[in-house]
């Protein structure tokens, strides 16, 4: 029976292998400290946080998230540790909440490894606090107990660490927030949440409407039985329409979406259900497929996390058994020590084999699901090799998301999950052309890597043009030295660019001034509720700016304008697609750090730099490529250009 704790109440723990699950209404930083009998933390090596997530017997998340799972093995913590305190803090991100009183009360549950709740605690009554000691696990007469704490700190993470006796608490808190900022910059955004009425969330407002707050990412509620866990994704975001700018989705409904239709016969007892494309909630097949892909992503993340946790436990248990056996001098000679080692390794192998069997079973089910989902994906969700592109027609409305690559984990590199980003884009994209980005990049010639990066950017621009209705998406290009002429040729030759690629310092200044002015005008119109005041010549379509070879051709003013577009542009339909090597801009120092963090970094070659929003695995990103010899890109762009000339769908 679950113990529902109130502040100050304690409960005996029936086991020592635990998970601590945190659910909040907004992304939070989760960490833990190890304390002695008096609760004193003896240095930074006794603190688990996103920058240093593992300690003996303890592992925390590597980034801020609305949901966390902290792994705890109380048998593995050092003997001097008598208290494990779970900490929560709000990340120091621009525009985010600064006090817990402004968000939903966090909920913390202590569970067994199988998910059974042992004790729960809802942290109510918080107001100005931006950090809180949620609960603590402590030793008492040889047993472990959990106590609900709920002690908040208006001084934030630094004040909370200082209260536990940490030397240099302010510096450590700053380094933790910096690690979180880096993690948020590389993380894949989770699907949007639903409002209580099941409504889809609007991320920007129509001109003249009050600007609603952007709902933060939230956790998933179970809705589909799949390989590892139950999960759902949220509803779609929306795109612009012609005339007055309105970013509300044209198919936005006001009631909860229906469940997936029963398209497959029930499974036989003892056998897994046969996978079906669209096996998720949603108003349309597109939305159901979108939610299903995100469900597969989460399932693969969680089943892999379970496998890795089991392997770590098996290794830790073997080490402990060996330490106990060999601590007796009599076992160090003769055959007793060898037998102890063999028995410990046999137990380790048995545990890891069982974990691998469970993982393989889940992977097989996910692979079967992927095999039926991939052929059913619409063009916006499909790879270039999908036959759906050969039947391409310019759409009448925008999709809810766009595929920009694939993700996979080392446990099964062949099982790839589409990386879908919501539309309109909520952040710009940075294609990293640097050779220091990854091992694969380091092995690639510099010129070839830059060409691959620009080809990748052009392919993304082509996909964006292809999934928007005719005339509702415009693309600009800045190529100061003209080095990307060959890569830009498909866009130039098809006539889909808003103008010739800008070159030289003058061209850079002209394009940036034009887009900066557009952002300013639309923002003023939104604030004033005066859509009619926009100049008639203003292009109300979504705008994409491709920037090659940054910072060549950029003076200080141009750099400032680019940062402004990265920060303010997405909310009013202006997006960046940068191809750059960060080392080339090293002369600017930390001035450009906010720019890099604001962009979703992808690479022209495989690289394991992206993190999921659930458990923080390092996923290998694979860029999308057109099949060798295929002219699908040129054919799609030709249809886009024809539709723009006629002003209608061909």
């Amino acid at each position: 029976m679950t113990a529902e704790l109130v502040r100050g109440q304690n409960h005996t723990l029936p086991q020592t292998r635990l998970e601590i699950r945190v659910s909040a209404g907004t992304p939070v930083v989760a960490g833990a400290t190890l304390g002695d009998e008096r609760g004193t933390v003896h240095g930074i090596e006794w603190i688990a946080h996103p920058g240093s997530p593992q300690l003996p017997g303890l592992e925390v998340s590597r980034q801020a998230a609305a949901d966390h799972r902290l792994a705890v093995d109380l048998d593995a913590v050092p003997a001097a540790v008598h208290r494990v305190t779970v900490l929560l803090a709000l990340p120091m991100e621009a525009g985010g909440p600064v006090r817990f009183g402004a968000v939903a009360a966090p909920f913390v549950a202590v569970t067994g490894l199988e998910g059974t709740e042992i004790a729960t605690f809802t942290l109510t009554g918080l107001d100005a606090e931006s950090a809180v000691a949620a609960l603590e696990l402590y030793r008492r007469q040889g047993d472990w107990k959990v106590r609900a704490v709920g002690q908040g700190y208006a001084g934030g993470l630094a004040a909370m660490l200082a209260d536990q006796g940490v030397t240099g608490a302010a510096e450590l808190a700053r380094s933790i927030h910096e690690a979180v900022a880096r993690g948020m910059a590389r993380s894949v955004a989770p699907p949007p949440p639903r409002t209580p009425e099941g409504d889809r969330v609007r991320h920007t407002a129509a001109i003249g409407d009050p600007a609603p707050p952007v709902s933060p990412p939230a956790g998933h509620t179970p809705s589909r039985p799949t390989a590892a866990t139950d999960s759902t994704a949220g509803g779609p975001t929306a795109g612009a329409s012609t005339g007055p700018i309105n970013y509300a989705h044209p198919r936005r409904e006001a009631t909860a979406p229906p469940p997936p239709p029963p398209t497959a016969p029930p499974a036989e007892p003892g056998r897994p259900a046969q996978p079906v494309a669209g096996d998720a909630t949603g108003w349309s097949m597109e939305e159901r497929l979108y939610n299903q892909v995100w469900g597969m992503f989460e399932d693969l993340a969680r089943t892999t996390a379970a496998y890795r946790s089991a392997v770590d436990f098996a290794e830790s248990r073997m080490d402990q058994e060996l330490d106990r056996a060999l601590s007796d001098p009599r076992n160090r000679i003769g055959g007793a020590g060898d037998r102890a080692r063999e028995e410990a390794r046999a137990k380790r192998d048995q545990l890891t084999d069982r974990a691998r069997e469970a993982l393989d079973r889940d992977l097989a089910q996910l692979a079967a699901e992927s095999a039926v989902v991939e052929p059913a994906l619409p063009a916006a969700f499909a790879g270039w090799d999908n036959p759906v592109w050969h039947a391409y027609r310019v759409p009448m409305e925008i999709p809810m998301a766009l595929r920009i690559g694939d993700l996979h984990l080392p446990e099964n590199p062949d099982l790839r999950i589409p990386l879908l980003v919501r539309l309109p884009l909520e952040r710009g994209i940075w294609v990293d052309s640097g050779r220091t980005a990854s091992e694969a990049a380091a092995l690639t010639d510099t010129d070839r890597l830059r060409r691959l990066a620009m080809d990748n950017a052009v392919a993304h621009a082509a996909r964006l043009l292809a999934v928007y209705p005719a005339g509702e998406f415009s693309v600009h290009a800045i190529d100061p030295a003209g080095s990307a002429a060959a890569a830009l040729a498909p866009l130039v030759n098809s006539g889909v660019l808003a103008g010739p690629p800008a070159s030289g310092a003058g061209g850079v200044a002209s394009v940036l001034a034009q887009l900066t002015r557009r952002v300013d005008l639309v923002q003023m119109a939104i604030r004033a509720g005066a859509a009619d005041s926009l100049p008639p010549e203003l292009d109300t379509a979504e705008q994409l700016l491709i920037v090659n070879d940054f910072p060549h051709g950029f003076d200080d003013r141009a750099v400032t304008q680019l940062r402004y577009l990265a920060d303010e542009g997405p909310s009013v339909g202006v997006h960046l697609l940068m191809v750059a090597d960060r080392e080339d801009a090293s002369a600017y120092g930390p001035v450009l750090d906010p720019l890099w963090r604001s962009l979703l970094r992808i690479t022209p070659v495989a690289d394991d730099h992206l993190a999921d929003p659930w458990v923080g695995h390092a996923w290998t990103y694979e860029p999308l490529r057109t099949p060798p010899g295929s002219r699908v890109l040129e054919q799609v762009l030709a249809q886009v250009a024809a539709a723009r000339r006629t002003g209608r769908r061909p």
Side-chain angles (χ1 to χ4, degrees), residues 384-385 459 624-630 632-633:
W384 287 115
D385 56 349
L624 297 176
R625 304 194 189 282
T626 56
S630 172
V632 62
L633 190 69

Side-chain angles (χ1 to χ4, degrees), residues 107-129:
F107 174 80
V108 184
V110 180
T111 76
L113 296 183
E114 73 287 352
T116 303
E117 289 185 348
I118 300 169
T120 64
F121 176 41
T122 302
L123 284 77
T124 57
L126 299 176
D127 186 12
E129 299 88 345

Side-chain angles (χ1 to χ4, degrees), residues 29 50-51 62-64 91-92 175-185:
V29 182
R62 298 173 183 269
Q63 62 186 47
M92 297 175 61
S175 70
I176 291 173
H177 284 301
E178 289 174 354
V180 170
R182 291 192 298 270
M184 295 180 75

Side-chain angles (χ1 to χ4, degrees), residues 267-327:
E268 298 178 11
R271 299 185 62 182
Q274 294 299 310
V276 177
D279 184 18
T281 59
W283 287 104
S284 64
M285 176 57 79
E286 178 194 43
E287 185 175 353
R288 292 198 295 270
L289 287 168
Y290 171 76
N291 290 345
Q292 187 173 13
V293 167
W294 272 96
M296 293 165 59
F297 186 17
E298 181 175 0
D299 286 347
L300 183 54
R302 295 205 188 280
T303 195
T304 303
Y307 167 72
R308 293 179 181 179
S309 177
V311 170
D312 290 343
F313 171 68
E315 293 286 348
S316 173
R317 176 175 169 175
M318 181 187 70
D319 292 340
Q320 291 176 37
E321 291 180 349
L322 288 175
D323 289 342
R324 284 196 296 267
L326 299 179
S327 63

